[in-house]
Amino acid sequence: MNTATYETHVLSAPPEGAGPDWLIPQGWEQYSAEEHGVWDTLFARQAALLPGRASRAFLHGLDLLKLSDGGIPNFEELSARLMRRTGWQVVAVPGLVPDDVFFDHLANRRFVAGNFIRRADQLDYLQEPDVFHDVFGHVPLLADPVFADYLAAYGRGGQRALQLGGARYLKNLARLYWYTVEFGLVEEEGGLRIYGAGIVSSKGESIFSLDDPSPNRIGFDLKRVMRTEYRIDDYQQNYFVIPSFDELLRVTVETDFAPLYAEIASADDIRIAEIVDGDRVITRGTQDYAKSKGGVAVLA
């Protein structure tokens, strides 16, 4: 995930054992049978739930990368398969890394993943992303050439944002990552499908994002997304729907973000669950779920 989302948990310097690029060995041989069992439990649950819900590209990536072989994947073996497909590799980091490190790895087609896995009593919620979220949630789409190019372009965009305005632009850029890479929906024949890693790795949100009447489902618009606040503590109240990965990539690479940042800076943020003029509303949500939770949201 974009580290701006979890800035309070980012370390200030590489910990002992990490290189200057923050990379560490995965330590695959050190996983216990119990830890591999947690992966298998989570995998089986999501693999049974996602057909007919997840995007074709995600499901195809699961098969291409042989993630169903059992146990936590070995990053070296996984990277070899991925490299042949799209030039990406999966590398281990000790936790959430600083933004400049995160963007550099993405721009160079290195996906950073935590090497720890949640406990058996944490199957449904974890505050920071673990190896199941990072690998099961994110990596299958990196086998898709178009989405793989989008994520690399995002990394280059992050580097440029830091050059243009430092951290002041990262709030808006983090929203793009959040509403696409983490919690995006895509229109496919047969209806809406999920592709965001935060959804496909979550049993509850895999159901909520498509079936529940509570959230808004809104057609993707780049500027609109970058102005929209989000919540990190619960299910989303807005989901943005892209027409295709090709269109997402096209908009990203053809947009000059410098004037866009300047324009957004002079505009108010859009509150969570707000519908604004110009929205292509696919589903106007009831927001009943948010009301039942007290409407409390943590805004980044």
Side-chain angles (χ1 to χ4, degrees), residues 219-265:
F220 177 84
D221 177 84
L222 180 63
K223 181 169 66 174
R224 204 282 199 215
V225 165
M226 293 176 69
R227 289 179 57 200
T228 304
E229 297 168 337
Y230 59 82
R231 63 185 308 160
I232 66 173
D233 64 325
D234 213 328
Y235 297 151
Q236 300 305 297
Q237 293 171 253
N238 291 325
Y239 296 97
F240 288 93
V241 183
I242 61 171
S244 67
F245 295 133
D246 291 282
E247 181 64 11
L248 179 62
L249 175 62
R250 185 194 67 77
V251 170
T252 302
V253 299
E254 292 183 3
T255 296
D256 184 350
F257 278 72
L260 181 58
Y261 287 131
E263 182 180 355
I264 291 173

Side-chain angles (χ1 to χ4, degrees), residues 13-300:
E16 183 178 354
D21 55 6
W22 289 72
L23 299 189
I24 60 172
Q26 181 192 8
W28 185 85
E29 65 285 347
Q30 297 175 21
Y31 290 122
S32 67
E34 181 180 359
E35 288 172 321
H36 285 297
V38 170
W39 171 282
D40 289 341
T41 297
L42 290 166
F43 186 97
R45 187 170 73 173
Q46 291 307 104
L49 180 63
L50 292 178
R53 292 182 175 274
S55 68
R56 291 188 298 267
F58 179 86
L59 296 173
H60 188 46
L62 282 181
D63 291 338
L64 283 174
L65 299 177
K66 301 181 180 179
L67 291 181
S68 62
D69 282 358
I72 300 169
N74 183 304
F75 287 4
E76 290 185 6
E77 296 174 359
L78 181 58
S79 293
R81 299 184 193 115
L82 199 54
M83 182 70 72
R84 289 193 295 269
R85 181 75 180 174
T86 60
W88 276 80
Q89 54 187 312
V90 181
V91 292
V93 290
L96 297 165
V97 300
D99 293 302
D100 60 334
V101 176
F102 178 77
F103 294 135
D104 179 71
H105 283 303
L106 290 187
N108 289 283
R109 295 183 178 252
R110 296 185 296 264
F111 188 79
V112 294
N115 66 345
F116 77 98
I117 192 161
R118 68 197 73 182
R119 301 190 310 267
D121 61 351
Q122 297 174 311
L123 295 184
D124 292 317
Y125 181 76
L126 199 67
Q127 188 171 18
E128 295 185 12
D130 69 343
V131 68
F132 185 78
H133 169 88
D134 285 342
V135 174
F136 181 91
H138 285 282
V139 173
L141 277 182
L142 293 178
D144 179 80
V146 177
F147 191 85
D149 286 350
Y150 169 69
L151 201 55
Y154 182 89
R156 295 191 299 273
Q159 291 176 317
R160 186 170 184 232
L162 289 174
Q163 294 170 354
L164 288 171
R168 66 193 179 104
Y169 292 147
L170 294 188
K171 176 182 74 172
N172 303 111
L173 195 62
R175 292 168 177 173
L176 176 60
Y177 191 93
W178 188 265
Y179 281 122
T180 59
V181 178
E182 290 293 348
F183 291 96
L185 302 180
V186 59
E187 293 178 287
E188 292 185 355
E189 185 177 352
L192 302 185
R193 298 290 184 266
I194 59 182
Y195 72 90
I199 309 178
V200 297
S201 61
S202 164
K203 177 186 178 182
E205 198 142 8
S206 293
I207 298 170
F208 178 86
S209 62
L210 293 181
D211 297 352
D212 201 282
S214 181
N216 298 319
R217 300 171 183 89
I218 302 169
F220 177 84
D221 177 84
L222 180 63
K223 181 169 66 174
R224 204 282 199 215
V225 165
M226 293 176 69
R227 289 179 57 200
T228 304
E229 297 168 337
Y230 59 82
R231 63 185 308 160
I232 66 173
D233 64 325
D234 213 328
Y235 297 151
Q236 300 305 297
Q237 293 171 253
N238 291 325
Y239 296 97
F240 288 93
V241 183
I242 61 171
S244 67
F245 295 133
D246 291 282
E247 181 64 11
L248 179 62
L249 175 62
R250 185 194 67 77
V251 170
T252 302
V253 299
E254 292 183 3
T255 296
D256 184 350
F257 278 72
L260 181 58
Y261 287 131
E263 182 180 355
I264 291 173
S266 64
D268 292 333
D269 286 344
I270 300 173
R271 301 293 295 177
I272 292 175
E274 183 179 354
I275 299 293
V276 299
D277 290 343
D279 279 347
R280 181 171 71 90
V281 179
I282 298 169
T283 302
R284 183 183 290 267
T286 63
Q287 299 303 317
D288 288 340
Y289 179 82
K291 293 171 187 174
S292 74
K293 304 292 281 189
V296 177
V298 177
L299 307 182

